[in-house]
Protein backbone atom coordinates (compact mmCIF):
# COMPACT_ATOMS: atom_id res chain seq x y z
CA UNK A 1 0.00 0.00 0.00
CA UNK A 2 2.86 2.39 0.80
CA UNK A 3 4.16 2.24 -2.76
CA UNK A 4 0.76 2.11 -4.45
CA UNK A 5 0.93 5.81 -5.48
CA UNK A 6 4.03 4.98 -7.55
CA UNK A 7 2.29 2.26 -9.55
CA UNK A 8 2.25 3.14 -13.24
CA UNK A 9 4.68 6.03 -12.71
CA UNK A 10 7.96 4.19 -12.15
CA UNK A 11 8.98 0.56 -12.75
CA UNK A 12 8.18 -1.57 -9.70
CA UNK A 13 9.24 -5.16 -9.04
CA UNK A 14 7.89 -6.79 -5.87
CA UNK A 15 9.26 -10.04 -4.52
CA UNK A 16 8.90 -12.29 -1.47
CA UNK A 17 11.77 -12.69 1.00
CA UNK A 18 11.35 -16.42 0.70
CA UNK A 19 13.37 -19.17 2.33
CA UNK A 20 15.84 -21.87 1.43
CA UNK A 21 13.87 -25.14 1.74
CA UNK A 22 17.08 -27.13 1.34
CA UNK A 23 18.33 -25.61 4.61
CA UNK A 24 15.06 -25.06 6.46
CA UNK A 25 13.56 -28.51 6.62
CA UNK A 26 12.41 -30.74 9.44
CA UNK A 27 15.32 -32.85 10.71
CA UNK A 28 12.91 -35.27 12.41
CA UNK A 29 9.48 -35.40 14.02
CA UNK A 30 9.07 -33.27 17.14
CA UNK A 31 8.47 -34.95 20.50
CA UNK A 32 4.84 -35.83 21.15
CA UNK A 33 5.17 -33.94 24.43
CA UNK A 34 5.79 -31.22 25.17
CA UNK A 35 3.74 -29.67 22.39
CA UNK A 36 5.67 -26.50 21.61
CA UNK A 37 4.91 -23.07 20.21
CA UNK A 38 7.97 -21.13 19.08
CA UNK A 39 8.58 -17.49 18.28
CA UNK A 40 11.98 -17.09 16.59
CA UNK A 41 12.89 -13.50 15.89
CA UNK A 42 13.36 -10.02 17.30
CA UNK A 43 12.07 -9.12 20.76
CA UNK A 44 10.96 -5.58 19.93
CA UNK A 45 7.94 -3.52 20.85
CA UNK A 46 6.47 -3.79 17.35
CA UNK A 47 6.62 -7.59 17.63
CA UNK A 48 3.93 -7.43 20.33
CA UNK A 49 5.11 -10.41 22.37
CA UNK A 50 2.71 -9.40 25.14
CA UNK A 51 0.17 -11.18 22.96
CA UNK A 52 2.10 -14.43 23.27
CA UNK A 53 2.47 -13.94 27.03
CA UNK A 54 -1.31 -13.78 27.26
CA UNK A 55 -1.59 -16.93 25.15
CA UNK A 56 0.86 -18.67 27.51
CA UNK A 57 -1.35 -17.73 30.48
CA UNK A 58 -4.42 -19.26 28.83
CA UNK A 59 -2.46 -22.45 28.14
CA UNK A 60 -1.16 -22.89 31.69
CA UNK A 61 -3.71 -25.61 32.63
CA UNK A 62 -2.29 -27.85 29.91
CA UNK A 63 1.07 -28.92 31.31
CA UNK A 64 2.02 -30.65 28.08
CA UNK A 65 2.31 -27.34 26.19
CA UNK A 66 5.34 -25.03 26.17
CA UNK A 67 5.99 -21.63 24.61
CA UNK A 68 9.53 -20.94 23.41
CA UNK A 69 10.87 -17.45 22.69
CA UNK A 70 14.07 -17.63 20.68
CA UNK A 71 15.89 -14.38 19.94
CA UNK A 72 16.93 -11.04 21.38
CA UNK A 73 15.89 -7.41 21.51
CA UNK A 74 14.84 -4.49 23.68
CA UNK A 75 11.97 -6.44 25.28
CA UNK A 76 14.15 -9.34 26.44
CA UNK A 77 14.55 -8.26 30.13
CA UNK A 78 10.79 -7.89 30.51
CA UNK A 79 10.13 -11.24 28.82
CA UNK A 80 12.64 -12.98 31.07
CA UNK A 81 10.93 -11.46 34.09
CA UNK A 82 7.56 -12.71 32.85
CA UNK A 83 9.00 -16.19 32.28
CA UNK A 84 9.80 -16.47 35.99
CA UNK A 85 6.05 -16.43 36.67
CA UNK A 86 4.99 -18.60 33.74
CA UNK A 87 6.32 -22.17 34.04
CA UNK A 88 5.28 -22.95 30.46
CA UNK A 89 7.34 -20.08 28.99
CA UNK A 90 11.04 -20.40 28.14
CA UNK A 91 13.31 -17.67 26.77
CA UNK A 92 16.40 -18.64 24.76
CA UNK A 93 19.27 -16.63 23.33
CA UNK A 94 19.62 -16.30 19.55
CA UNK A 95 21.21 -19.24 17.76
CA UNK A 96 23.39 -19.25 14.62
CA UNK A 97 21.32 -19.45 11.42
CA UNK A 98 22.67 -22.90 10.61
CA UNK A 99 21.32 -24.20 13.94
CA UNK A 100 17.85 -22.67 13.64
CA UNK A 101 16.32 -25.56 11.61
CA UNK A 102 17.23 -27.96 14.45
CA UNK A 103 15.51 -25.75 17.04
CA UNK A 104 12.42 -25.30 14.89
CA UNK A 105 12.24 -29.05 14.38
CA UNK A 106 11.67 -29.48 18.13
CA UNK A 107 8.46 -27.46 17.88
CA UNK A 108 4.97 -27.78 16.45
CA UNK A 109 3.61 -24.26 15.85
CA UNK A 110 5.62 -21.28 14.64
CA UNK A 111 4.24 -17.94 15.82
CA UNK A 112 4.50 -14.50 14.26
CA UNK A 113 3.00 -11.52 16.10
CA UNK A 114 2.86 -7.76 15.50
CA UNK A 115 1.09 -4.79 17.02
CA UNK A 116 -2.50 -4.35 15.78
CA UNK A 117 -1.81 -1.95 12.91
CA UNK A 118 -3.02 -2.64 9.38
CA UNK A 119 0.25 -1.66 7.73
CA UNK A 120 2.14 -4.24 9.84
CA UNK A 121 -0.11 -7.02 8.52
CA UNK A 122 1.44 -6.46 5.09
CA UNK A 123 4.90 -7.34 6.39
CA UNK A 124 6.93 -10.27 5.09
CA UNK A 125 8.94 -11.45 8.09
CA UNK A 126 11.49 -14.14 7.25
CA UNK A 127 10.19 -16.28 10.12
CA UNK A 128 6.92 -16.84 8.24
CA UNK A 129 8.72 -18.50 5.33
CA UNK A 130 11.15 -20.40 7.56
CA UNK A 131 8.34 -21.86 9.68
CA UNK A 132 6.55 -23.20 6.62
CA UNK A 133 9.69 -24.73 5.13
CA UNK A 134 10.68 -26.28 8.44
CA UNK A 135 7.43 -28.18 8.85
CA UNK A 136 5.62 -26.05 11.42
CA UNK A 137 1.98 -25.07 11.46
CA UNK A 138 1.99 -21.26 11.46
CA UNK A 139 -0.02 -19.10 13.86
CA UNK A 140 -0.50 -15.34 13.31
CA UNK A 141 -2.18 -12.64 15.37
CA UNK A 142 -2.95 -10.56 12.28
CA UNK A 143 -4.76 -10.84 8.96
CA UNK A 144 -3.58 -9.87 5.51
CA UNK A 145 -1.98 -11.88 2.73
CA UNK A 146 -0.12 -14.29 5.03
CA UNK A 147 -3.36 -15.25 6.80
CA UNK A 148 -4.95 -15.78 3.40
CA UNK A 149 -2.15 -18.17 2.39
CA UNK A 150 -2.54 -20.16 5.61
CA UNK A 151 -6.30 -20.43 5.15
CA UNK A 152 -6.17 -21.29 1.44
CA UNK A 153 -3.63 -24.08 1.90
CA UNK A 154 -4.74 -25.20 5.36
CA UNK A 155 -1.31 -24.89 6.91
CA UNK A 156 -1.99 -22.56 9.83
CA UNK A 157 -4.33 -20.01 11.36
CA UNK A 158 -4.85 -16.39 12.30
CA UNK A 159 -6.45 -15.17 15.53
CA UNK A 160 -6.32 -11.58 16.74
CA UNK A 161 -7.35 -12.27 20.35
CA UNK A 162 -5.26 -14.39 22.79
CA UNK A 163 -8.17 -16.63 23.94
CA UNK A 164 -9.07 -17.54 20.37
CA UNK A 165 -5.41 -18.07 19.49
CA UNK A 166 -5.03 -20.43 22.47
CA UNK A 167 -8.19 -22.26 21.40
CA UNK A 168 -6.74 -22.90 17.94
CA UNK A 169 -3.47 -24.12 19.49
CA UNK A 170 -5.43 -26.58 21.61
CA UNK A 171 -7.27 -27.86 18.57
CA UNK A 172 -3.96 -28.92 17.02
CA UNK A 173 -2.78 -30.22 20.39
CA UNK A 174 -5.72 -32.62 20.55
CA UNK A 175 -5.78 -33.44 16.83
CA UNK A 176 -2.25 -34.53 15.98
CA UNK A 177 -3.15 -36.05 12.63
CA UNK A 178 -4.48 -32.67 11.53
CA UNK A 179 -1.25 -31.07 12.76
CA UNK A 180 0.82 -33.54 10.73
CA UNK A 181 -1.21 -32.95 7.56
CA UNK A 182 -1.14 -29.16 8.01
CA UNK A 183 2.61 -28.91 8.50
CA UNK A 184 3.13 -31.08 5.41
CA UNK A 185 0.94 -28.67 3.41
CA UNK A 186 3.01 -25.76 4.68
CA UNK A 187 6.22 -27.43 3.51
CA UNK A 188 4.76 -27.86 0.02
CA UNK A 189 3.69 -24.20 -0.03
CA UNK A 190 7.24 -23.12 0.86
CA UNK A 191 8.72 -25.30 -1.88
CA UNK A 192 6.22 -24.19 -4.52
CA UNK A 193 5.91 -20.46 -3.89
CA UNK A 194 8.66 -19.25 -1.55
CA UNK A 195 11.89 -20.95 -2.64
CA UNK A 196 14.54 -18.20 -2.72
CA UNK A 197 16.34 -19.87 -5.62
CA UNK A 198 13.23 -19.79 -7.82
CA UNK A 199 12.34 -16.29 -6.62
CA UNK A 200 15.85 -15.09 -7.49
CA UNK A 201 15.65 -16.57 -10.98
CA UNK A 202 12.27 -14.96 -11.59
CA UNK A 203 13.53 -11.62 -10.31
CA UNK A 204 16.63 -11.81 -12.50
CA UNK A 205 14.47 -12.53 -15.55
CA UNK A 206 12.28 -9.51 -14.79
CA UNK A 207 15.35 -7.29 -14.46
CA UNK A 208 16.73 -8.59 -17.76
CA UNK A 209 13.43 -7.95 -19.50
CA UNK A 210 13.29 -4.44 -18.05
CA UNK A 211 16.88 -3.73 -19.15
CA UNK A 212 16.12 -4.96 -22.68
CA UNK A 213 13.03 -2.76 -22.82
CA UNK A 214 15.08 0.24 -21.71
CA UNK A 215 17.75 -0.44 -24.34
CA UNK A 216 15.09 -0.88 -27.01
CA UNK A 217 13.46 2.40 -25.96
CA UNK A 218 16.77 4.26 -26.06
CA UNK A 219 17.55 2.83 -29.50
CA UNK A 220 14.13 3.83 -30.82
CA UNK A 221 14.52 7.35 -29.43
CA UNK A 222 17.97 7.68 -30.99
CA UNK A 223 16.67 6.47 -34.35
CA UNK A 224 13.80 8.96 -34.20
CA UNK A 225 16.15 11.83 -33.36
CA UNK A 226 18.34 10.83 -36.30
CA UNK A 227 15.43 10.88 -38.68
CA UNK A 228 15.61 7.18 -39.47
Amino acid sequence: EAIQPLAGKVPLILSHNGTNPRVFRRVGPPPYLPFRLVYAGTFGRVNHLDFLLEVAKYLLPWRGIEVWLLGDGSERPRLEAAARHLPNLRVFSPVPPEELPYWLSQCHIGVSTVLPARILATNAASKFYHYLANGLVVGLNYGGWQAEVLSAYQCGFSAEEPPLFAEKVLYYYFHRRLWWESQACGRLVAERFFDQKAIGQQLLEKIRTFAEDVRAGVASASAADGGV
Side-chain angles (χ1 to χ4, degrees):
E1 293 181 1
I3 62 174
Q4 189 65 36
L6 298 177
K9 299 179 181 179
V10 297
L12 294 175
I13 298 176
L14 299 180
S15 177
H16 288 285
N17 294 352
T19 185
N20 185 344
R22 290 157 295 282
V23 173
F24 285 90
R25 58 186 305 118
R26 183 164 288 285
V27 299
Y32 189 83
L33 291 175
F35 186 86
R36 295 186 178 120
L37 287 68
V38 61
Y39 171 93
T42 303
F43 298 168
R45 181 176 176 274
V46 72
N47 304 109
H48 194 29
L49 290 172
D50 282 341
F51 181 93
L52 203 45
L53 295 183
E54 289 300 313
V55 170
K57 292 176 183 177
Y58 279 103
L59 295 174
L60 272 174
W62 289 271
R63 296 185 179 181
I65 301 178
E66 290 182 351
V67 178
W68 282 10
L69 303 181
L70 182 63
D72 205 356
S74 60
E75 296 287 285
R76 184 181 181 87
R78 195 168 62 81
L79 294 170
E80 289 177 327
R84 289 194 284 270
H85 304 284
L86 290 170
N88 62 346
L89 179 68
R90 302 184 65 185
V91 181
F92 297 94
S93 297
V95 300
E98 63 272 15
E99 295 181 14
L100 186 54
Y102 170 80
W103 283 77
L104 296 182
S105 294
Q106 309 309 308
C107 302
H108 299 77
I109 295 179
V111 179
S112 182
T113 56
V114 293
L115 287 170
R118 183 180 177 186
I119 189 64
L120 295 178
T122 65
N123 81 92
S126 296
K127 65 174 76 68
F128 172 77
Y129 306 105
H130 296 338
Y131 292 157
L132 290 173
N134 223 102
L136 280 77
V137 168
V138 179
L140 312 174
N141 76 329
Y142 50 90
W145 72 268
Q146 292 173 66
E148 292 171 2
V149 168
L150 299 181
S151 176
Y153 294 97
Q154 300 180 8
C155 51
F157 60 90
S158 170
E160 298 182 13
E161 297 297 330
L164 181 57
F165 194 99
E167 182 178 312
K168 291 182 179 292
V169 168
L170 289 171
Y171 194 79
Y172 282 103
Y173 177 65
F174 289 114
H175 298 82
R176 297 303 179 93
R177 182 174 180 177
L178 174 64
W179 174 85
W180 189 260
E181 293 171 349
S182 297
Q183 65 84 28
C185 288
R187 170 70 188 182
L188 292 175
V189 167
E191 291 177 333
R192 181 177 178 185
F193 300 114
F194 302 135
D195 185 340
Q196 286 177 339
K197 184 176 181 180
I199 290 172
Q201 291 172 341
Q202 294 166 5
L203 185 58
L204 181 59
E205 184 58 34
K206 290 178 181 179
I207 293 173
R208 284 174 177 166
T209 300
F210 172 69
E212 290 171 359
D213 290 345
V214 170
R215 284 196 295 268
V218 170
S220 297
S222 297
D225 290 343
V228 177

